[in-house]
Amino acid sequence: GPLASFSAARALGELMHDVGYASGVFDMFHVGHLNLLRRAREHCSILVVGVASDDYVLALNGQEPVVPLAERLEIVRSLKFVDEVLIDRSEDKRVAWRERNFDAIFKGDDWRGSPKGDRLEAAMAEVGVQSFGAGCTKKYSAQYKKPLWVIA
């Protein structure tokens, strides 16, 4: 069957896209991130990954990532199924699309059915991009959002 859209969660199918895009903070990189990117790459010829800038993460979450942008870029770039990496600076993925066109966007399951997921799907549809859920990141992301205690 078709890929799982945010609005209709179905199992990933065999549909292929030319260029896929997946984005995230990728802070404290974990197996949920790995699975998302691997699954996204199975459904496109080229996988472009946007890594959120430190400023964007600060604006979004009220705190900077633990791992600096340069290191997060290096980690993501080193994955064999990632073809290109760019810096993601906005929640509006049309900004990234203008920098590097893609015909499908893949997000973790934490976006599905959420207001931000609905906004993303609508914005991407405006430029002819299909939106898909491609991973189980929620349980891993929650696990790594525990406070970090630093003892001086």
Side-chain angles (χ1 to χ4, degrees), residues 3 23 30 43 62 65 84 87 92 95 112 119 122 128 133 136 139 146 148 150-151:
L3 289 170
S23 64
H30 55 72
H43 298 282
E84 300 173 29
I87 298 172
D92 183 352
V95 174
R112 186 178 294 133
R119 285 193 305 274
C136 301
K139 70 177 181 179
K146 294 176 183 167
L148 296 174
V150 179
I151 300 171

Side-chain angles (χ1 to χ4, degrees), residues 51-70:
V51 177
S53 71
D54 291 343
D55 291 341
Y56 169 34
V57 175
L58 179 61
L60 202 63
N61 299 334
Q63 62 184 31
E64 290 187 347
V66 173
V67 179
L69 176 61

Side-chain angles (χ1 to χ4, degrees), residues 1 7 17 21 38 63 71 74 101 105 111 122 128 130 151:
S7 56
H17 297 274
Y21 182 74
R38 182 185 293 121
Q63 62 184 31
E71 293 178 24
E74 186 176 343
N101 283 98
I105 187 167
W111 283 64
Q130 291 182 284
I151 300 171

Side-chain angles (χ1 to χ4, degrees), residues 3 15 17 102-106 121 124-125 127-132:
L3 289 170
L15 187 59
H17 297 274
F102 48 88
D103 61 320
I105 187 167
F106 302 93
E121 194 166 7
M124 291 287 85
V127 294
V129 174
Q130 291 182 284
S131 302
F132 302 104

Side-chain angles (χ1 to χ4, degrees), residues 85-125:
V85 178
L86 58 84
I87 298 172
D88 190 344
R89 303 178 191 281
S90 174
E91 187 171 335
D92 183 352
K93 300 310 170 205
R94 292 172 296 190
V95 174
W97 179 83
R98 285 185 209 98
E99 183 177 335
R100 174 57 165 104
N101 283 98
F102 48 88
D103 61 320
I105 187 167
F106 302 93
K107 293 300 288 183
D109 59 3
D110 53 329
W111 283 64
R112 186 178 294 133
S114 70
K116 69 180 179 178
D118 294 342
R119 285 193 305 274
L120 173 71
E121 194 166 7
M124 291 287 85

Side-chain angles (χ1 to χ4, degrees), residues 2-16:
L3 289 170
S5 72
F6 294 132
S7 56
R10 287 171 266 156
L12 285 173
E14 297 303 315
L15 187 59
M16 285 295 289

Side-chain angles (χ1 to χ4, degrees), residues 27-47:
D27 197 20
M28 306 300 288
F29 195 91
H30 55 72
V31 73
H33 294 136
L34 190 67
N35 291 339
L36 168 72
L37 297 177
R38 182 185 293 121
R39 290 187 77 189
R41 182 61 176 81
E42 290 171 357
H43 298 282
C44 56
S45 299
I46 297 169
L47 179 61

